Amino acid sequence: MGHLTRRTFAAGGLGAAAGLTGALAPPAAAAERGAGSGTAGHGATEVRAMWLATVDNRDWPSSPGLPPAEQRAELLAHLDAAVERRLNTVYFQVRPTADALWESPYEPWSEWLTGEQGRDPGWRPVEFAVREAHRRGLRIEGWFNPYRIALHDDPSRLAAGHPARLHPEWAVSYGGQLYYNPGIPEVRRFVQVAMVDAVRRHPLDGVHWDDYFYPYPVEGEEFDDAAAFAEYGRGFPDVASWRRANVDLLVRETALRVRRLRPRVRFGVSPFGVWRNAAADPRGSATEAGVTTYDDLYADTRKWARRGWVDYLVPQLYWNIGFPAADYAELARWWARTVRGTGVDLYVGEALYKAGDPEQSAEWQDPDELSRHLSLCRRLPEVRGHSFFSALEVSQDVIGAMDAVVRDHYRHRAMLR
């Protein structure tokens, strides 16, 4: 299936459509909202971002095992492309699969650098990326995946000393991949410490998560957390409520850790674009998505916004204007209403990777489709920016969709730092 990306699952979920209770009480005071109230904001300047993915060598490095000088040159080319496109923010994937692109005392070096998990690449990618991004006037946030361990399900292939080998009871095999079990408190604490270590060691501008919490559903399989539910799920009416509470805890606790360590570092999440369909919940969007964050990923993203637990959200609105099952315009308006009055910033995730892809619909062959997205969002004051997936397409821009965005909306560079 080629390069595996987080967007593969998102697209498949909607294709099927076309196809805190218990331990967490509501925040009691404004001080608690400081865990993610947007106070470390960027002023009135819009965010213009791109994702720079490292998992499976999606964007960078182009292949594992390149000499350090070539890896550095490729990384600089992506940063320079961001500047050329008048972007101001990069979400750099520094922990793609329970590994690290920095010298972590908790997890092994990423296999996507050298081809061998745990092998020192001979240079320090995060340190280099932060320095060079800041030199170019770019904000750079660390993009972390909390619970994904590997794109395979064989623990023996993990590096010796990998936490999932030392604690096999922490890992769950599902859909041919390995995941940490979010329902085990020790796991939740460990992944927080492992991620925040990057912030402790490097002057990153933010902590950024994507849409993977509990994994996307795989037909005919059950995520095997029954033992953890029996041990830790007392007081919850069902496993779904318990799973959502587990993710709520991860979000709320991480926000507090980041805020205490570096108060000006922002914390945000890029969820799948549909919280719930209105047919399941009148508070949901007028959509017919086959997957929703609330029901399938156990991520109550609406709650995180309404309670101010995050600084920003970047919902992945990877559909064209007028798409029947999930209309971009409907979802942009729904998310704008959701964050209104919360102090949480809203940026919209844009599917640049679809533009010009021959397997996509006719709308995505039009280089002006994405520019129309930004024009629509200009009428929504809650939308304070956009992020494009991903860096490879920002550079290649096969049909000129990014050119159209720059021409119509980014005539001048908007600096955040």
Side-chain angles (χ1 to χ4, degrees), residues 130-401:
V130 171
R131 181 177 68 248
E132 293 299 327
H134 288 170
R135 184 175 291 171
R136 288 160 173 75
L138 295 166
R139 294 180 78 260
I140 183 166
E141 301 196 12
W143 165 16
F144 304 83
N145 189 286
Y147 288 124
R148 182 173 59 199
I149 297 174
L151 303 185
H152 58 78
D153 61 359
D154 181 0
S156 70
R157 290 173 56 187
L158 300 174
H162 192 290
R165 294 186 69 171
L166 298 178
H167 300 278
E169 71 280 6
W170 286 4
V172 176
S173 174
Y174 181 76
Q177 300 189 26
L178 284 175
Y179 299 89
Y180 282 126
N181 188 341
I184 298 176
E186 291 82 3
V187 166
R188 191 179 71 249
R189 288 191 287 269
F190 169 77
V191 298
Q192 290 178 51
V193 169
M195 290 184 288
V196 172
D197 181 69
V199 179
R200 189 181 305 278
R201 293 171 183 271
H202 302 287
L204 290 159
D205 296 300
V207 170
H208 180 87
W209 291 349
D210 57 9
D211 49 319
Y212 290 135
F213 294 98
Y214 281 85
Y216 279 84
V218 175
E219 187 175 359
E221 290 196 41
E222 291 290 333
F223 189 79
D224 186 9
D225 59 356
F229 179 58
E231 185 169 357
Y232 302 111
R234 290 183 295 276
F236 290 92
D238 51 48
V239 70
S241 300
W242 172 70
R243 287 175 176 174
R244 278 189 289 273
N246 293 333
V247 180
D248 283 351
L249 279 168
L250 177 74
V251 171
R252 191 167 164 194
E253 290 172 356
T254 302
L256 289 169
R257 281 179 184 267
V258 171
R259 186 66 63 234
R260 287 167 181 161
L261 178 63
R262 293 188 187 270
R264 293 191 60 80
V265 168
R266 289 168 62 77
F267 173 54
V269 180
S270 172
F272 181 72
V274 180
W275 172 69
R276 297 194 89 186
N277 298 314
D281 189 324
R283 300 171 298 174
S285 52
T287 51
E288 297 177 354
V291 169
T292 67
T293 68
Y294 182 94
D295 298 290
D296 298 292
L297 308 182
Y298 307 99
D300 192 351
T301 50
R302 181 181 181 274
K303 177 194 284 187
W304 307 344
R306 302 302 295 177
R307 297 194 178 179
W309 290 351
V310 293
D311 289 312
Y312 67 84
L313 290 173
V314 195
Q316 299 168 24
L317 304 192
Y318 290 166
W319 308 286
N320 57 275
I321 297 172
F323 182 65
D327 180 6
Y328 179 97
E330 156 64 17
L331 284 163
R333 289 190 290 263
W334 185 89
W335 282 101
R337 291 194 301 271
T338 296
V339 304
R340 189 172 298 155
T342 64
V344 173
D345 288 336
L346 175 64
Y347 320 127
V348 176
E350 301 288 349
L352 178 61
Y353 74 100
K354 286 187 175 182
D357 181 344
E359 296 185 4
Q360 299 295 330
S361 63
E363 289 84 358
W364 292 106
Q365 311 313 313
D366 181 352
D368 289 324
E369 173 68 25
L370 286 183
S371 180
R372 285 192 287 270
H373 291 191
L374 273 67
S375 295
L376 183 153
C377 289
R378 296 288 185 197
R379 301 192 291 273
L380 301 172
E382 293 82 7
V383 178
R384 304 189 64 187
H386 300 261
S387 186
F388 300 91
F389 190 83
S390 62
L392 194 63
E393 286 76 16
V394 167
S395 296
Q396 294 178 346
D397 196 22
V398 292
I399 61 169

